[in-house]
Amino acid sequence: MSSKDNQKPRPFRAAPGTAPLKGTVSVPGDKSISHRALIFGAMAVGETRVSGLLEGEDVLRTAAAMRAMGAEVERLGEGEWRVWGVGVGGLSEPEDVLDMGNAGTGARLVMGLVASHDFTAVFTGDASLRRRPMGRVMEPLSRIGARFHGRSGGRLPLAMTGTADPLPIEYELPVASAQVKSAILLAGLNAPGITTVIEPEPTRDHTENLLRHFGATVEIETAKTGAKVIRLTGQPEFRPSSITVPADPSSAAFPLVAGLIVPDSAVTVRKVGLNPLRTGLFTTLQEMGADLSFGDRSEQGGEPVADITARYSALRGITVPPERAPSMIDEYPILFAAAACADGDTIVRGARELRVKESDRLALMARGLQACGVDLEEFEDGLVIHGRGRPPQGLSSAGASIATELDHRIAMSFLVLGLAAKDGIVIDDARVMDTSFPGFVPLMQALGARLEPAA
Ligand code: S3P
């Protein structure tokens, strides 16, 4: 495809087929762990090997940022990467703007790293990333000593200057965010003394796990309030290491939900990462009556993994506990698609964070589902979906399509729903799916899904 073609939106259609979805597939590596593998490799002197790296746009941007700041990052083969790191505090000033593309995780984690280096870096991203709030990392990183010049509302593009004398801080997270936690810990890596992050609600702990894996001292304690207190001892001797990235549960969610909503289907996804801070969707689906089974449990790269099989199920609406939000934060769009096929009300509240993801996911899912004939109510912090016990009508009338606004998970959620919806569903642009799930279309087609470019 020429770069000109690549600039044009690529409308895509999903339609119900005549046969069920059947088969066993492997989805790409975990996005969160892939970003971190490259970042941690860059911080260790010597060679880190990564296998199973997600080669999606988001992670490739982090690879480019690490290269721009002095690390050697090289692709050896499919998912096989080698990073030759510069050591804690050893990054150098990038010569050009760091374009982080669509990746909030890449942008915020790399800003954390830069905060404790004595140089200036300029960050930008695509239209989606330039809409997202960076104040949540600018505030704690300023306390460490970094300085920022950004657009109004703390938005990209922004320039930041790190400090030669970073202060170890103690910081209580005002929002449940693994990205903010990780940005502070990465800044604290090059600060003398102990950096402390207090998290009132537990979020994914891949940063803490990898810090330990590379030889840093991280102590984690549960306070009387139930909050987690994470203490990192700065300026550790960081050892290069090897990392095997498990398959991304957030990507596995798409073929699995397809298996649940397309009649008579049975879909297995191999060796899916099952870190307990990531599995909220599977618990929720089981509460809705989903037939999910977990086989061949083992460990990969220090994370539990299992083969997950989803069989077509009659789903019913439930109330999703708000405290489950951090463990399924990226999975609400596909949950809403499942809820649109369920019988009764699915009630999601306490999920305000969805408004500041790659898109405003509450608004976009609400608008798109309503266009497909789903009855729902939108609240500031959630949606209530009134399911009718069968898939909705869909949207494939001439020229009409679902707006995805550069959000990969909105795009994939509607394509999955389109496999069950009576008329199928057309989305306005499929290109962005490559940020987290390259190969989504052929993988789904291999299961028997009808997915094709729309005129
Ligand atoms: C991520 C944390 C989450 C999640 C994102 C990946 C991470 O974001 O939505 O896709 O790798 O730390 P928040 O920290 O903003 O909740």
Side-chain angles (χ1 to χ4, degrees):
M1 177 186 286
S2 78
S3 61
K4 191 152 163 281
D5 289 337
N6 209 17
Q7 284 160 17
K8 285 201 304 226
R10 195 149 49 94
F12 233 79
R13 179 196 323 274
T18 46
L21 305 179
K22 297 269 180 197
T24 300
V25 289
S26 298
V27 301
D30 189 276
K31 181 154 75 71
S32 292
I33 299 176
S34 294
H35 281 295
R36 288 161 171 81
L38 297 176
I39 289 173
F40 281 98
M43 293 287 85
V45 179
E47 179 174 294
T48 286
R49 286 292 185 105
V50 187
S51 41
L53 189 88
L54 165 64
E55 295 176 334
E57 263 299 306
D58 273 20
V59 174
L60 299 180
R61 299 288 178 150
T62 292
M66 291 301 108
R67 265 189 217 115
M69 295 193 290
E72 273 177 44
V73 183
E74 195 189 349
R75 183 177 193 264
L76 304 175
E78 205 188 320
E80 296 294 322
W81 288 64
R82 167 185 170 276
V83 184
W84 194 274
V86 293
V88 170
L91 297 176
S92 47
E93 184 169 271
E95 280 181 22
D96 203 347
V97 173
L98 300 176
D99 183 348
M100 304 309 295
N102 193 257
T105 307
R108 294 188 177 118
L109 268 54
V110 174
M111 284 165 69
L113 271 187
V114 170
S116 51
H117 283 79
D118 185 16
F119 60 70
T120 294
V122 182
F123 291 80
T124 192
D126 71 4
S128 155
L129 189 58
R130 292 195 309 269
R131 284 193 293 264
R132 299 181 67 184
M134 294 296 148
R136 53 180 59 196
V137 285
M138 288 159 69
E139 206 264 320
L141 297 179
S142 300
R143 295 194 198 190
I144 291 170
R147 285 171 295 133
F148 293 87
H149 300 279
R151 287 166 62 224
S152 58
R155 277 157 228 269
L156 301 184
L158 68 72
M160 70 178 288
T161 303
T163 175
D165 300 304
L167 295 172
I169 60 166
E170 176 173 314
Y171 192 79
E172 179 163 341
L173 297 179
V175 280
S177 168
Q179 292 178 0
V180 178
K181 168 176 68 177
S182 302
I184 299 166
L185 292 173
L186 287 170
L189 253 190
N190 193 33
I194 293 179
T195 294
T196 306
V197 182
I198 302 165
E199 350 179 65
E201 292 174 83
T203 65
R204 63 191 72 192
D205 56 2
H206 307 302
T207 297
E208 298 90 306
N209 295 343
L210 284 174
L211 279 166
R212 284 180 170 150
H213 186 62
F214 276 75
T217 303
V218 180
E219 279 163 17
I220 302 175
E221 199 189 307
T222 306
K224 281 200 203 89
T225 56
K228 251 188 184 180
V229 182
I230 302 153
R231 294 193 182 85
L232 165 70
T233 305
Q235 299 177 329
E237 198 57 50
F238 228 43
R239 292 188 300 266
S241 199
S242 32
I243 301 171
T244 304
V245 181
D248 197 328
S250 300
S251 296
F254 298 105
L256 291 172
V257 169
L260 294 175
I261 64 174
V262 174
D264 302 325
S265 297
V267 170
T268 299
V269 185
R270 269 191 224 101
K271 289 195 181 298
V272 180
L274 287 178
N275 178 309
L277 294 165
R278 297 285 299 280
T279 51
L281 174 75
F282 302 132
T283 309
T284 301
L285 290 170
Q286 285 178 316
E287 288 172 4
M288 294 171 78
D291 180 351
L292 291 180
S293 48
F294 299 79
D296 201 13
R297 287 180 187 269
S298 60
E299 251 201 26
Q300 210 169 58
E303 300 273 353
V305 299
D307 294 350
I308 309 181
T309 300
R311 291 187 182 80
Y312 176 63
S313 304
L315 300 176
R316 48 182 187 271
I318 59 156
T319 298
V320 182
E323 62 275 14
R324 195 176 288 160
S327 69
M328 57 178 292
I329 193 66
D330 292 334
E331 281 67 77
Y332 284 103
I334 191 64
L335 170 71
F336 295 143
C341 304
D343 186 19
D345 291 353
T346 296
I347 302 170
V348 169
R349 302 299 299 265
R352 192 173 281 112
E353 271 295 288
L354 297 182
R355 295 206 181 271
V356 292
K357 293 294 176 188
E358 285 82 332
S359 68
D360 176 342
R361 287 182 171 163
L362 292 177
L364 228 48
M365 286 304 299
R367 255 195 280 149
L369 288 173
Q370 280 170 329
C372 293
V374 177
D375 185 18
L376 58 84
E377 289 161 80
E378 180 180 349
F379 296 89
E380 222 295 282
D381 66 343
L383 298 184
V384 174
I385 295 183
H386 305 298
R388 298 198 184 108
R390 58 186 143 78
Q393 192 71 28
L395 182 74
S396 75
S397 56
S401 62
I402 300 289
T404 53
E405 290 187 11
L406 291 176
D407 189 328
H408 51 131
R409 299 201 201 280
I410 300 282
M412 290 185 279
S413 297
F414 277 104
L415 288 181
V416 166
L417 184 59
L419 299 175
K422 203 157 167 283
D423 295 342
I425 292 179
V426 178
I427 61 165
D428 63 357
D429 194 2
R431 291 170 303 170
V432 73
M433 298 188 308
D434 285 352
T435 60
S436 69
F437 200 154
F440 171 77
V441 169
L443 178 144
M444 294 301 295
Q445 286 168 334
L447 291 169
R450 274 183 66 196
L451 291 176
E452 65 208 7

